Each structure stands twice: as structure tokens, then as C-alpha cells.
Amino acid sequence: MDEKALPGRLPERDRPWVMRTYAGHSSAAATNALFRRNLAKGQTGLSVAFDLPTQTGYDPDHELAAGEVGRVGVPVAHLGDMRALFDGIPLADMNTSMTINAPAMWLLALYGTVGAEQGAELSRCAGTTQNDIIKEYLSRGTHIFPPAASLRLTADVVAYTLREMPRWNPVNICSYHLQEAGATPVQEVGFALSTAVAVLDAVRDSGQVPAERMGDVVQRISFFVNAGVRFVEEIAKMRAFGALWDEITRERYGVQNPKQRRFRYGVQVNSLGLTEAQPENNIQRIVLEMLGVTLSRDARARAVQLPAWNEALGLPRPWDQQWSLRMQQVLAYESDLLEYPDLFEGSHVMTALVDEIVAGARVELEKVLEMGGVVAAVETGYLKSALVASLAERRRRMESGADVVVGVNRFTETEPSPLTAAGAESVEQVDPAVEAAATASVRRWRAGRDDAAVDAALARLRADAATTTNLMPATLECVRAGVTTGEWAGALRQVFGEYRAPTGLTGAAGSGGDPGLAAVRARVAATARELGSGRLRLLVGKPGLDGHSNGAEQIAVRARDAGFEVVYQGIRLTAGQIVAAAVEEDVDLVGLSVLSGSHLAAVPAVLDGLRAAGRPDLPVVVGGIIPAGDAQQLRAAGVARVFTPKDFALTGIIDELVTVVREANGLR
């Protein structure tokens, strides 16, 4: 009997998903070389990681960019950088995903211009700009402009691509970062769909798209999701996403074609679920998380990118990324997964779980809409507070042992790992000279262009931004004139202003019944009495452009529950701003959170600032993804303590902070 004719098999294998690795670092030339190697190994699409200055609209020579250039992605400051990034890579034949949000219009204009220079027809170019600004206010922190202005930019990109780049996904609604920030499956679905409704409403209400073409708009909206290790629940979540998306697009926007209503999504599995302790366990975590978005044919991802086993340690090397790509290839080409129809059709367990998530997510969506939509829910702090509270509960379960994390809070006995025996060589190292080279490069670029053309292009951009004119034509003129990323964003900052999102700490739930908190609270109170102050004061600071604030917020919540008075001003602060706040607020301790790898630049800047302000005695502690060698350098520079992801017990960290205060003040 022909094996292919066995009952239940598909007549033809389902096509594999697009396989990507999330890549970019150092420089456009270095990243281009990495892209070429990955494509040669069988990767079928590109996923571009941009550095934080690019994501937040700054050039490499801006003060806030110090220490951040080329660290978590590739710096792209102008058209020349984009040309170098895709040199020799035919964009007409490529499917490119770009993780870019606030400056998405700018990066798409650069990409399209390079494609046109290559001779590509824009109508053939396929890919995605992430362009979901709402989640930036809630979790990732690379927003620039206020919500209404940001949605206007998104609507303009949607309208432009509908006309000029019909194969392009102009927006990628991201629930990925909501899960990282603490969202339950119900919140993840409900909050992400609230954002999708806001985007579609903005496009519809802009008047740029005829009502009869809303189906074409819906068809190009994609989603970017997170897949955690509870992979059965993740399968149900994705099926729930599809059911609700079909309902919303049919009933709210009148889309009748079921193909246009199909839920289309790509996925990166849960990077923050990877552990520094026993990092070899991350391999099986990644595989399980991949299964959650591939096992169910009716809810299968269209594109998958996997993190590397060592991302909790630092930047992955090319070999580490190859390992993750091979995981996808083994599943797609060696297993029989793609030969069968949906494996869960008719499952009573799956149906009940899907129905439960759908019902809960519908309640969350309706709650947000009753508040006036997702923008109002951001501005009032409702969404952020809900996520901070959910993450606090998740942390409580892990700290209590109710949720087991192998190698972290259970089964911690281990043999030395040969994977990490090389020390710093087990992760990619970014040459400190990268930043100086990028700074010199952007200055040469500015010196070699027509200043009159630049001034005219920026003037047009500002003028159009003050109206309802679609900003893509003015942006394309800026690209051709040689405007830089920082100049484009700076012109729009002048018109739209900047936005500081709510921190979500007010009213956030604390640690519940943590039995160790009472003893720490007593130490905090006793130390305050001995110092003759009413309460101990802790400044939690986020220096530089790192917007991943989840850990800082959880420290702030737990410290507040322990009796500290917490000063937390949010993300994206200069060293000078942190120092000024520490002195003005007369704090007892400064805690810095840096997850972008810029700690060796950002932390010494704060220490130097405190010395210059006459407070060299003020203790400073640091938390982040910090290799052991870097931690030694920070301690030698004067940092009192260094905390890394292995320090997961928040109450224990707060207890140690009390010890730091006592040591700094000569108390026993």
C-alpha cells in the first residue's frame, strides 16, 4: 500500500512556513554578511533587528545613543546604510520582516527606495513592517510620538502600501510583547485585537481607503505572537485568535470574503522564558514552543523565527542561530507533520479550551471599547496596570514554586555545561569601535549631501504633518534628499511632540502571600529608623534607550510592598536625568536596569555623574543581562551589587538592597 495514500493524509503536503532568524548587529555590512550566510543555509526569509537608536529615531551621534549603537540590532541612519544592508540581496525575491514601529514609515521608505534602485517592482516586494505602536507604550518602550499621531502614521503606511505595495503587510499587530509583559492568554488575545480594531478604525476614518476596499486592508493585516512553553494552551490561544478575528472583521468591517478574513500570523517563541541557569534546557523549551504554533494546521503560523539557546546570556553567534534554523527544518522536512489535516479538529478538550479563551478575550475587548478604545486604555494606564499586575502574579507563582522552571526553582543541581565553558566566547561580542565608526559615518553622510535639498524636504515633512496629508510622499522625498533617521524623527517630534507612557505602578498588585516579605519589611523599617528617616527611598532608573521595563517595574512594585518609597520615572533617561533625580529626591539607593547590553557605558556615566554631584557615597546596584566578566568590571567601577536573570526571587533581591543600604551607611 502506498504510504502517501494512508487514511487521513493530505493529498499533498502542506507548504512549510517561512523560516527566519532575527538578526542584526554592529553595522550594515556585518549584518549583510550574516544575512547571506543564513540564506545560504536554507533560511527562507529575513527578519531585521534594528538597534535602539534606529528604533527610537536617533542618529548614532546623539547623546541618548551612547553605548547603544549596533548592540541589539543594526544601525540604519540613512539611505546609504540601507543600501549596504541589502547589498547583493534581491529584494524583489525576498520576504523581509522589519521589527520597527515608531519610524516604520521611514524604514519602509528606505527599503522601497533601495528596492527600486535594484530594479524591483514595488508591487512585487513582500514583507512586513511591525508598526504596532500600542504595545510599545505597554511593554517594549520604543515609542516616540503620542498615540493619536502614531496611529495616523500607521494609517498612512496602510493606505500607501494598498496602492503601491499590495503584497506588503503594512502592520504587524504584536501580542508577543504583551505576553512578555505579563499578559495571560485571555489578555493577550483581547488586548491585541483591541489594537487591531484601533488600526482598522484609523484607516477607515482617515478617508484614504474606499469602504469597498476594507477587505483588502484586512487581508494585509498580520499578527506577531509569542508562544510559551505551555504549548497545548498556545494552540488553543491561536485558534481563539482566528475565531475572534473572523468575527470582528465580518461584523465590524463587513468583510464577506473568508480568505480576506483569515488570521495570518508570524511567531517568535518566548525569548524571556529562556534561562541563564542550565541554558541547555532552553533547547527543549524552544522546540515545545515551536510545536504550539505548528501542530494545528488550521492555526499554523505563516512565518516562524526562533531564538537561540543562549539569548539569556548575550547576543547569539551565527552557529547558535543555525541550530535554531535546523530545528525548524527538521520539523518541516523530516517529520510527517505537514502531511495531515488539522490534528485537533473534533477534540472536545481543545474546543472547550478555545471557547474559554474566546469568551474571556471578548470580555476584555468589550471593556477596552467601552473605555473609548485602545488609545484611551493606554492613556488612562488601564492596560499597563493590568499587565504589571499579571506579571506580578506570574512572578509570585514562580517564586513560590507553584510554577516550576527546571534548573531555576527546581532541579537546580547540575553538571558544568560545556556549552558555556568558553565564557565570553559563548556569545557574540560587539566591538566597542562600532559606535565610533557609525558616528563618523553619519557625519560624513551629512557632509556630502545637498543641504538645501535636505532643508526643503524636512520643511515639507513638517508642513504635511500639520495637516491630514499622507506623510509617505514627504518621507520619500526626505529619503532621496539624504535626510537621516534622527532628522526625520526630529522633524515629526517638532510637530507631534514626544510621549511618556504611564508606568503602570499605581495600584499594581504586589506579592500577595509571600511569607518572606514580612521579615524584609521589618528590616526596611528598622533601617529607616536607624538612619533617622521616615522611609528608605529607592530610585529605579532606566538609562539609555532600553525600553524593556518589565523587570524594573516588578522590582519597583516589590520594593514598594516591602516599605521602600520608590521613585520611578519610566524609561529612556540620560545619566544626567537619573543623577539629578537621585540628588533632588535624596534617595538612599539607586537601582539601574539595563537589558540592551549597554551597561559598560550607561552605568559608569551614572557613577561619574554622582561623583560630580557630590554624592559618591550613594550606593548603586545594577540588573540586566550582564556577563560575568562585565559584572566584575562594574563592581570594580564602584557598583555595589550586580543582579542577572538567575536572581529570580524578587523578595530576596529587595532584602539584599536593604543590606546594601546598611553597608553604605556603616550599619551592622
Side-chain angles (χ1 to χ4, degrees), residues 540-592:
V540 176
K542 291 286 296 177
L545 298 177
D546 170 30
H548 284 89
S549 58
N550 301 331
E553 288 153 2
Q554 292 304 308
I555 289 289
V557 170
R558 189 64 56 89
R560 186 189 63 192
D561 291 347
F564 275 92
E565 182 175 340
V566 177
V567 179
Y568 177 58
Q569 299 172 325
I571 62 172
R572 227 181 296 167
L573 301 172
T574 65
Q577 289 171 322
I578 292 172
V579 169
V583 173
E584 183 178 339
E585 298 287 349
D586 192 25
V587 299
D588 299 288
L589 177 66
V590 174
L592 302 178

Side-chain angles (χ1 to χ4, degrees), residues 193 293 553 586 627 660:
L193 290 177
V293 292
E553 288 153 2
D586 192 25
V660 169

Side-chain angles (χ1 to χ4, degrees), residues 155-237:
D156 284 356
V157 170
V158 172
Y160 169 81
T161 55
L162 191 66
R163 294 190 306 269
E164 305 294 337
M165 302 177 72
R167 294 185 62 198
W168 193 267
N169 300 323
V171 62
N172 198 251
I173 307 297
C174 291
S175 73
Y176 177 91
H177 308 91
L178 300 181
Q179 186 183 114
E180 281 193 341
T184 65
V186 163
Q187 289 174 324
E188 187 179 341
V189 175
F191 293 172
L193 290 177
S194 299
T195 297
V197 166
V199 170
L200 289 174
D201 283 359
V203 172
R204 179 194 62 194
D205 298 343
S206 73
Q208 299 186 70
V209 177
E212 63 271 16
R213 295 212 63 188
M214 281 303 291
D216 296 325
V217 173
V218 167
Q219 185 172 345
R220 300 317 306 176
I221 302 294
S222 63
F223 289 73
F224 185 69
V225 307
N226 200 335
V229 76
R230 294 172 57 83
F231 73 97
V232 175
E233 190 173 72
E234 294 295 340
I235 294 169
K237 180 186 77 181

